Amino acid sequence: MECTAMEHYKIEKEKNRLWLTENSYAPLYELKTESIFAQCNGYMGVRAVHPFLSVEESRGMFLCGVFDKAYENEVTELVNCPDITWFGIEIDAEKIHTDSTKLHSCTRKIDILSGELRLFYVFELSTGTLVEIEVKRFASLDNKHLFMQSYRVHICNGIGKNIKITTGINGQITNSGVSHFHSVTERVYDREVMESRGELEENIVTVLTACTIKTGTVAKKDFTLKRRSIYGIYSFTEENDIEIEKAAYIYQGGETEDCRARRYMDCFKNTGYQKQFCMHRKQMQNFWRKAGIGIEGNGLEQQAAISFSQYHMLGMTPPDRAECSIAAKGLTGEGYKGHVFWDTEIFILPFLIYTYPEKARQLLMFRYLGLEKARQKAKEYGYQGAMFPWEAAKTGEEETPKYAALNIHTGKANRVWSGIKEYHVTADVIYAVEQYFTVTGDREFMEQCGYEMIFEAAKFWVSCAKWDETEHRYCIYDVIGPDEYTEHINNNAYTNYMAEFCVKTACRYARQLKEGGHKECSRLEQRTGFLEYLEKFEEFLSKIYLPKPGRNGIIPQDDTFLSKPCLQEIEKYKSSQVKQAVLLDYSRDEIVNMQVLKQADVIMLFDLFPRLFPDDIVRKNILFYEKRTLHDSSLSYCVHAQASAYTGDKKAADRFFKKALFIDLNDNPYDSADGIHSASMGGIWNCLIFGFAGVRFTGTEVWIRPCLPENWKEISFFLTLCKIEIQFAVSEKRIVMEATKELKEPLYVCVEDKRYTFVRSLELYRDTGETKEWKKKSEDVSLT
Amino acid sequence: MECTAMEHYKIEKEKNRLWLTENSYAPLYELKTESIFAQCNGYMGVRAVHPFLSVEESRGMFLCGVFDKAYENEVTELVNCPDITWFGIEIDAEKIHTDSTKLHSCTRKIDILSGELRLFYVFELSTGTLVEIEVKRFASLDNKHLFMQSYRVHICNGIGKNIKITTGINGQITNSGVSHFHSVTERVYDREVMESRGELEENIVTVLTACTIKTGTVAKKDFTLKRRSIYGIYSFTEENDIEIEKAAYIYQGGETEDCRARRYMDCFKNTGYQKQFCMHRKQMQNFWRKAGIGIEGNGLEQQAAISFSQYHMLGMTPPDRAECSIAAKGLTGEGYKGHVFWDTEIFILPFLIYTYPEKARQLLMFRYLGLEKARQKAKEYGYQGAMFPWEAAKTGEEETPKYAALNIHTGKANRVWSGIKEYHVTADVIYAVEQYFTVTGDREFMEQCGYEMIFEAAKFWVSCAKWDETEHRYCIYDVIGPDEYTEHINNNAYTNYMAEFCVKTACRYARQLKEGGHKECSRLEQRTGFLEYLEKFEEFLSKIYLPKPGRNGIIPQDDTFLSKPCLQEIEKYKSSQVKQAVLLDYSRDEIVNMQVLKQADVIMLFDLFPRLFPDDIVRKNILFYEKRTLHDSSLSYCVHAQASAYTGDKKAADRFFKKALFIDLNDNPYDSADGIHSASMGGIWNCLIFGFAGVRFTGTEVWIRPCLPENWKEISFFLTLCKIEIQFAVSEKRIVMEATKELKEPLYVCVEDKRYTFVRSLELYRDTGETKEWKKKSEDVSLT
């Protein structure tokens, strides 16, 4: 049976199209729909607002890497850039508004496969005239600066004596009332191309736009300037069918760009929406060919939700050469100020490492470019090495505010601890570096950046661990783990294991470099002093406290967690529509002192280190901790789903997976209002590949342990291992792998304790007989 | 017959109330209605927005003297402060919006006599439930920091199971997309009083607000913080009648104020809307008693329009001790950036000089405080003395931008010349100073400020006049006169006459001070060096070129005006609904070279110097120039009306007066969108008193020359002459004057060449016999 997570949004399949549809004008869902239907191509993200002004709207265009700090007391944030989507239409002096004009029907839909947005309205004017308006939009993947729109106005019963269409560039947009542009200047070239140029402290954002009339005759064309905005006014007389295309070219400063942009706008006059769309779709098709996940047997809604998450993964990934990363909300909203969290490395990067390794490299480069700031942060808090920022914007500086808004009742500033105490991000980044190297074998990156990051992170960890005289071990005190409902705790299991992983990795590479007499050795020694630290790394590794499962098999989340009382009536909060509903009944201090989790914490370890604990321990811990977890973070369900799948608990995996799948698409109108949940999108991919397909890669071995939900027949996808694309088709009955070209060095494929050599292709099937053993399809099963 | 200038707004008279009413929800008129229905008490102005968000709205609260420059490239402007009027209401999960909820009726009306705004809505929810909402608001005249609101929600057919009302303070408001507050912090005191504190470069604006539930039981009260805003959420269950009062206390920084504000909010709990309104109304009644103008025989609409202009004159006048002046849009909108122009001194000040002389003094003080900046401006342009700014904000600095927005087509910056070339403002200020002294006899002000201003202004004029060798006279070259459709002209008549007036005044006082051996003489000499300039003043006066009427009686507006061609089809532009429609067909350069005026120029002279020219010259010039005037400025009709009345042209006067009277109230929805027209309000008063009643005061003589429009039977008002309030009742048949107390020194009343002594009361009537002579009612007509 199809799951029914969505009521408000519908799925419609057409040839080459997969529409996610909103069939009514729904102000309650407005902000959410604007986020999840947004047009994003990695360079820009444009919220899917109605073309007409509406009361509940929140217009937004965000450009990758365009950050600004408006005032001393404000936080650096992703700038909400000028709006290009507003479309004013007046027919015989009657203005059309979504809110106030009688609306016979309203459809807003996004084709998940191409990212094209379609808006369709039937309005009835006060005169009884019926007006159909159709709008199309996409952010081009073929030219990342290009945003295309098409408007069609059709008067069904009669003609419009005077039709006035106004559209242009509105630079009055702010980040919730905070303006960033120091100045905005506008002009018109050749009575065709409008330009708005906005100056930030460090960037110039330029928007060029031009309209082409495809149907209808313009009786009069004017341009009008308002504060920070410019509009073209196109007047028509006695028309009933008007079609206008609007191209916008958006870029950041620079004369070279100016020339290119001007040339581009010239060229646009000869192409138009449809042709640009074809070019864009070709790029989209390349994406799906490479990144698409095929599942036989899951329903349309689930398939659409998976594709939806992949559309957004594409849309949030920065274009080439931009020194920027992926925000918690991608480019779809103002939420979390456009900051980069651990979400990127732990949740989103795996998809890129296995699919677009060059993008993964670029995102890790972002962290490397911030290394100096990370060193400064460590120094500031009295540590050695580098502490990566909990929240980053552009420079890698710590952007987490030290104080949140005042406690409105006491007037006291609420200290924000995550920027200082969520140490784990410094290991999370290293985990991603190591994963990247494992999967790609990109030694050059490691030599240029990776080793340095690893050593600096490891230096931080050995410097922050404290020696416990009583227990004779190194401890990590006063941290916040992934579960943010606990604060100032000691020996958070996730943190300690990740720290150990980081130092172990550093230790291994340090030894390799030292022993191998590597040419980079002296440069790296000069920059990091890693040889001097080697002993400290070893000492740390021999004595770091790693919380082990207790007699009941439970790994303590931290030193005190298991001794705290449980939250009463936890089911009430688990089922609440309101996020973090528990905070309405309990103070933060009370919650810190209860066994209640915001999100997966210990469980994360099982996903990151799948063979660290025996399956029964993993199962016990999932059961134990899930009971205590509110999943108040969008980073939670996908982690539980993946861990459950890996341990073979199909039902639990399926249940959690469906929750994760609809984090953005569910019917809660308040979710996603300020942007989609990037990490959850990545988590869905991780769950599919690492969880259900059960594929992991160690650099030489591919382990496969499939565990598909009921009804799913097969899951197929491409992964790029050691620079070779390999197609996988996996079920519990059959495993097929096919490389696009022959591997230079063979890999080993491990399935249930058997190891098969893989050079170009491999097909395994499970014996239907009594043994249920896996067998190679060809005769010679190469047992090792 | 009643004039019919208004269709959209209606007048309704009730006991003690005079309502100006909008009887429908009219988005087209939204911005205009918000401006003209605004609640203003001199300290604050709050635009009359709907309590619910609507698409076409422009929320605004402006505080007297709260200016800020957001960025280097922006202009210092009156800051749009946090909003306190938004009122969110949700009944059984349905949000009410003016645009999207079915609206059975909508009435918005302002009681011109008290300034109270009433909004009344009948909504039909999607369930069929009828909801009446009534909102009342006023800005208190009793406590200038206080803004009161009352909301009543009544469910006509049934109850609301869950009613959620949200209201508070929204600091996300910007000046058309430009934010000014560097930081905004919020808090709640005692779960009652919400506070928002916004920091500007030079001010702190604090808003305190508290809600009191008058009817209904609050089931739950929450406070919620959003970026730059704070809201109280009041939930009710099973109610059908809810009444909430909301008091807001708004002030600028300072701990003393903090204490006072907190005390005040405490006190509010015991008073409430009605009591505060009574206290406010008492102050309003005082205003009407003193400033009201009674006219017998004009219709209700005209009377209302006159009262309307007076309500706004009151609303724009700064409170005591604030060092600020009156903006071109008062406190009702963002238009002209809240800047102060010559409008204040020439159009608005007469009302204050004759009614609230202490306020007039304060406004002149504003200019005096800016004298140093005016000296700097003169120096910057190579002149001596002081040049007052064409646009001023707070400091008296010239705020006119040197460049306007780029020419959007050429990309070239449009130079703005008015800040440099509208020299006349420097004489306009002096005219007001001299008027103030004439009417009040306030020698202290003159000694402390007035003389210094006059001397500095005169120094400017003598330094900017150039010697014309050919004609042997001083000329003033390259100026802009009041008519801004001409630029870079020589010897603008208005400018030259005003310059002469200024220097003549300076000369007279310089001689007096010198000859009288006045104690202030040496201090003033030190500050201004006026004694040294005396000769120059005299030289200037003897040779300044004052354009005289030509053979046809026409005074040339400037050296070249009369030689330019006339604008063809001027009637087309005169009757256009669109302001400055001529600019759509002609470039500015073309217009400069035609005989076409934006506004009164030469005619202004007749108003300011009523006996300078013989009546027939005045009449000829009015006729000549009016034909060439588009009245594209709101400063034009009132000037023509006054001049026409003074020369006895009743019909023309009446026609122009009606135009002036409805500058803000007319049916053109685009007028007044960004604020009311302050100068026109003042111009209406000037026309009534100086024009129709024909009263002028020379300091010792009151000249009276009544010329009432047809149908008007009598006009009555108070004027304060030499600190004594005198009631006037004037018609063409009777003149009555009655002082509130006996004058120490008698005045002379001059009517048609006869002079009567006035000490306490006087009644004159026109003989009904053949001579039509004026006679004193008592036997002894004191002919002199």
Side-chain angles (χ1 to χ4, degrees), chain B residues 439-642:
Chain B
V439 176
T440 62
D442 181 354
R443 201 165 297 278
E444 190 191 273
F445 173 78
M446 293 303 276
E447 286 165 3
Q448 283 171 9
C449 318
Y451 294 141
E452 190 176 338
M453 291 161 83
I454 293 169
F455 295 148
E456 290 297 316
K459 280 162 63 182
F460 161 72
W461 287 112
V462 301
S463 75
C464 84
K466 300 275 176 294
W467 180 248
D468 176 349
E469 266 305 337
T470 323
E471 303 282 348
H472 281 77
R473 59 194 186 190
Y474 285 106
C475 293
I476 301 174
Y477 294 135
D478 190 13
V479 300
I480 304 174
D483 164 32
E484 290 172 323
Y485 281 171
T486 48
E487 286 185 352
H488 305 301
I489 46 155
N490 299 333
N491 295 313
N492 168 254
Y494 178 84
T495 307
N496 285 26
Y497 276 99
M498 287 298 278
E500 192 239 13
F501 164 81
C502 176
V503 179
K504 200 163 61 189
T505 307
C507 207
R508 189 173 74 245
Y509 290 130
R511 280 201 213 99
Q512 280 175 16
L513 288 167
K514 186 183 169 190
E515 288 156 17
H518 195 280
K519 66 178 166 62
E520 290 296 325
C521 195
S522 69
R523 189 183 64 85
L524 278 164
E525 170 59 16
Q526 217 175 343
R527 294 182 70 83
T528 66
F530 74 97
L531 290 173
E532 202 183 310
Y533 272 89
L534 190 46
E535 226 168 282
K536 282 188 196 165
F537 293 165
E538 282 162 349
E539 158 77 7
F540 174 93
L541 288 173
S542 69
K543 288 171 189 151
I544 177 70
Y545 166 47
L546 295 174
K548 291 286 180 314
R551 265 196 279 174
N552 56 358
I554 302 308
I555 300 159
Q557 182 174 309
D558 58 60
D559 283 356
T560 53
F561 185 85
L562 297 179
S563 63
K564 293 174 181 172
C566 284
L567 168 65
Q568 300 300 303
E569 297 186 277
I570 191 166
E571 285 308 320
K572 184 179 111 186
Y573 302 107
K574 279 186 123 163
S575 59
S576 169
Q577 272 254 357
V578 180
K579 272 280 150 67
Q580 312 201 358
V582 70
L583 291 174
L584 301 177
D585 295 345
Y586 295 92
S587 76
R588 250 197 131 82
D589 286 344
E590 288 171 318
I591 287 168
V592 162
N593 290 310
M594 287 192 287
Q595 280 191 22
V596 58
L597 286 80
K598 182 178 172 194
Q599 64 196 90
D601 190 300
V602 168
I603 313 306
M604 299 246 9
L605 285 175
F606 309 144
D607 286 356
L608 299 186
F609 307 107
R611 297 210 295 196
L612 191 62
F613 300 98
D615 284 359
D616 66 317
I617 292 292
V618 173
R619 275 188 212 106
K620 273 185 189 159
N621 279 278
I622 295 178
L623 220 62
F624 178 85
Y625 281 108
E626 205 283 323
K627 264 191 193 150
R628 290 155 176 81
T629 301
L630 295 177
H631 301 292
D632 277 349
S633 159
S634 62
L635 278 59
S636 195
Y637 282 123
C638 53
V639 173
H640 279 266
Q642 183 182 335

Side-chain angles (χ1 to χ4, degrees), chain A residues 48 75 86 127 147 150 183 239 289 363 395 419 459 491 525 550 585 588 697 703 720 729 731 750:
Chain A
V75 172
W86 179 68
T127 54
F147 189 81
S150 153
S183 87
E239 293 275 6
R289 206 151 32 225
L363 295 193
T395 61
K459 281 162 65 183
N491 294 314
E525 171 59 15
D585 295 344
R588 251 199 129 82
F697 183 53
W703 307 339
T720 298
S731 74
C750 306

Side-chain angles (χ1 to χ4, degrees), chain A residues 680-697:
Chain A
S680 177
M681 309 277 186
I684 289 166
W685 189 91
N686 299 343
C687 183
L688 286 168
I689 308 303
F690 304 145
F692 293 134
V695 174
R696 300 301 287 235
F697 183 53

Side-chain angles (χ1 to χ4, degrees), chain A residues 536-554:
Chain A
K536 282 188 195 165
F537 292 165
E538 283 163 351
E539 157 78 7
F540 174 93
L541 288 174
S542 67
K543 287 171 189 151
I544 178 69
Y545 166 48
L546 296 174
K548 291 285 180 316
R551 267 197 278 175
N552 55 357
I554 300 308

Side-chain angles (χ1 to χ4, degrees), chain A residues 85-96:
Chain A
T85 61
W86 179 68
F87 179 74
I89 173 159
E90 222 180 288
I91 298 177
D92 298 333
E94 186 168 348
K95 277 189 194 177
I96 291 183

